[in-house]
Amino acid sequence: MSFAGELKRELCRALPEQREETMAECYGMALVARGFDAGNISMVTESESVAQRFAAMIEQLTDVKAETTQRERADGAVYTVSVNDEGERVKLLQLFGHSGHELNRRIKLENITNDENYSDFMRGVYLSCGSISDPNKSYHLELSVPFLNLSKELSLLLSQLLAKPKEIRRRGDYVLYYKESEHIEDFLTFIGAPMKALEIMEIKVFKDVRNKVNRRTNCETANIDKTVAASARQIADIELICERKGMEFLPENLRELAQLRLENPEMSLAELGSMLTKPISRSGVNHRLERLAAIADELREKKD
């Protein structure tokens, strides 16, 4: 199961115990659903757990029986929860203080009876219209809301409870979203999914460590490449000197270093310096190699 599917399953594990909790969550689910008026009350979801939860909450609050239908698609099943009887639709709308004829849905805060129930309400909103990407690939959580004023009110509410979400318009919907992992973790914890929030934190730590290792490996590889290239130039200079003048042409300190470099092409300058009869620093080795390079350049110029 995907991360998104596991998240919704975690949120649906247990129904709220108090009526006001059920009221706030069911209201959140219904308010942002595709149908929430006198002619149509319905929610469409890819999660069987969410469909079962919505239907159970409606019945618990009103004794109204919601019908759940399943439709198979190439990418999985889709569930539709609907209240088909007009009288029962009116009963449910009246429970939440809606007439069913509003041109633009708005949040009626009287359905959220205390501060603790805001998390229940936002959990219902997420279950009905929310989605999240796999945090192994990217950080993205969004709420796709069908009405502009409703999206504005939800944005303001989230700004007061957590962090202000970003907003975009997509295919007729008003989308509120978070892309920062910290904001997503806070949101998940708030709506009752602390284990998934913790999983995102662990993934983020793993990514950070992996990126640091990759950067270090790339740096070490680059340094090795530089060392190999420099060593090849130095050996070419020394071999030219040996060919034109012979190793005995060099003064003793340069001759010893030249011999070490020919025998140890993979060694760093510091390692070469430590192997000399009288050890010298890396900069001292570099200085002597520059003298060897100058001699080789001079020999090349004379031939030209």
Side-chain angles (χ1 to χ4, degrees):
M1 182 178 289
S2 67
F3 183 90
E6 291 173 356
L7 169 59
K8 290 194 173 180
R9 178 172 289 186
E10 179 180 338
L11 291 170
C12 292
R13 284 206 179 108
L15 288 171
E17 296 180 359
Q18 304 297 322
R19 180 177 173 82
E20 60 267 23
E21 296 172 347
T22 303
M23 182 88 166
E25 182 175 333
C26 187
Y27 181 56
M29 296 175 78
L31 186 63
V32 296
R34 290 297 164 189
F36 186 62
D37 55 48
N40 174 33
I41 292 180
S42 63
M43 181 187 69
V44 179
T45 177
E46 296 178 357
S47 170
E48 183 177 9
S49 299
V50 172
Q52 292 172 346
R53 187 178 184 87
F54 187 44
M57 284 184 165
I58 290 174
E59 183 173 357
Q60 182 180 341
L61 291 169
T62 63
D63 292 328
V64 169
K65 293 282 188 180
E67 180 182 345
T68 302
T69 58
Q70 178 179 342
R71 178 167 55 90
E72 294 296 333
R73 297 187 314 192
D75 57 348
V78 175
Y79 304 88
T80 300
V81 182
S82 57
V83 178
N84 297 323
D85 181 81
E86 184 178 354
E88 292 185 332
R89 288 197 296 269
V90 171
K91 184 178 180 179
L92 185 60
L93 288 165
Q94 288 176 344
L95 172 69
F96 293 127
H98 287 259
S99 68
H101 299 287
E102 298 98 332
L103 295 177
N104 202 338
R105 286 178 227 169
R106 309 293 288 267
I107 301 174
K108 294 189 180 295
L109 293 177
E110 53 267 32
N111 292 305
I112 308 171
T113 55
N114 57 60
D115 290 346
E116 288 74 22
N117 295 145
Y118 281 105
S119 62
D120 302 306
F121 173 73
M122 290 308 307
R123 178 167 59 252
V125 170
Y126 178 79
L127 288 173
S128 185
C129 71
S131 62
I132 190 171
S133 64
D134 183 345
N136 287 291
K137 299 177 181 178
S138 65
Y139 302 120
H140 187 90
L141 180 147
E142 68 179 40
L143 305 172
S144 185
V145 184
F147 294 101
L148 175 60
N149 286 342
L150 183 56
S151 73
K152 293 295 183 184
E153 290 182 347
L154 283 171
S155 178
L156 178 60
L157 185 57
L158 283 169
S159 301
Q160 295 168 345
L161 296 169
L162 298 165
K164 180 174 176 58
K166 295 181 175 64
E167 303 175 28
I168 58 169
R169 181 85 184 272
R170 184 197 302 141
R171 293 193 296 273
D173 285 339
Y174 302 89
V175 180
L176 309 177
Y177 67 95
Y178 293 119
K179 292 185 72 70
E180 297 78 8
S181 60
E182 295 84 359
H183 294 165
I184 295 173
E185 292 158 13
D186 290 344
F187 182 89
L188 295 186
T189 301
F190 182 73
I191 65 173
M195 297 308 295
K196 284 300 173 187
L198 182 60
E199 188 173 334
I200 292 178
M201 295 178 198
E202 292 173 345
I203 290 171
K204 183 169 60 176
V205 170
F206 174 77
K207 283 182 177 179
D208 288 343
V209 171
R210 183 180 60 192
N211 289 338
K212 287 178 182 177
V213 170
N214 287 341
R215 284 196 296 270
R216 181 176 297 176
T217 300
N218 291 339
C219 182
E220 290 174 352
T221 300
N223 288 338
I224 290 171
D225 290 344
K226 288 179 181 178
T227 299
V228 169
S231 176
R233 290 195 302 271
Q234 294 154 8
I235 289 172
D237 289 340
I238 295 167
E239 288 177 343
L240 176 66
I241 294 170
C242 291
E243 179 185 341
R244 300 280 184 87
K245 294 290 187 178
M247 188 68 81
E248 295 302 321
F249 169 76
L250 296 171
E252 184 177 350
N253 60 346
L254 295 185
R255 185 166 62 247
E256 182 184 11
L257 178 60
Q259 193 63 47
L260 276 175
R261 173 47 91 200
L262 289 175
E263 295 171 357
N264 303 279
E266 77 290 347
M267 278 190 178
S268 67
L269 301 190
E271 290 172 326
L272 288 173
S274 66
M275 292 185 66
L276 292 170
T277 303
K278 293 182 179 180
I280 60 175
S281 66
R282 179 188 180 284
S283 61
V285 172
N286 187 59
H287 177 67
R288 292 186 184 182
L289 288 170
E290 288 177 349
R291 289 172 61 191
L292 288 169
I295 294 170
D297 287 342
E298 187 177 342
L299 292 174
R300 291 187 184 98
E301 290 175 0
K302 286 182 178 180
K303 182 178 181 182
D304 295 341

